[in-house]
Amino acid sequence: LTQLRTGHAPLQAHLFRIKRVESPTCPCCRQHPETVFHYLFQCSAHRIHRNRLRRKVGQRNMNPASLLTEKDLLKHLFRYVDETKRF
């Protein structure tokens, strides 16, 4: 959770910034840099899981401020992370 909140999650953009990978491009969609925002809200490869998350938390909570901080939403966020098998 802390890694997602701070942007230090093991996603391509962060790994590229610390010189661990050669490209910041998302390995799942291969279209955009894989930032925390991209991973949670934009990546087309995770659309099915994101739609499930949206149904659980509601459209109004599909934003970083809510999803990464509201205690009641964290179990759904962690389920999304688990389902995407990205970490």
Side-chain angles (χ1 to χ4, degrees):
L1 179 59
T2 299
Q3 291 176 337
L4 290 172
R5 286 175 174 169
T6 63
H8 293 116
L11 298 170
Q12 293 297 107
H14 174 66
L15 296 174
F16 179 74
R17 195 169 41 252
I18 63 171
K19 301 182 184 339
R20 294 298 218 170
V21 296
E22 293 185 21
S23 170
T25 303
C26 177
C28 299
C29 71
R30 294 187 167 99
Q31 295 177 2
H32 304 283
E34 189 186 32
T35 61
V36 170
F37 188 85
H38 172 77
Y39 168 68
L40 293 175
F41 304 105
Q42 297 176 325
C43 185
S44 59
H46 304 306
R47 184 177 297 125
I48 292 170
H49 303 296
R50 184 177 312 104
N51 288 341
R52 188 174 300 131
L53 174 64
R54 183 178 289 111
R55 283 192 303 273
K56 294 291 186 182
V57 303
Q59 181 62 39
R60 67 182 178 90
N61 290 317
M62 284 299 289
N63 62 74
S66 297
L67 202 55
L68 295 172
T69 61
E70 292 189 28
K71 184 179 178 181
D72 295 342
L73 304 181
L74 295 179
K75 66 181 176 185
H76 303 296
L77 172 64
F78 294 145
R79 185 172 297 126
Y80 171 84
V81 170
D82 184 55
E83 290 175 348
T84 62
K85 308 237 186 290
R86 191 62 192 96
F87 300 116

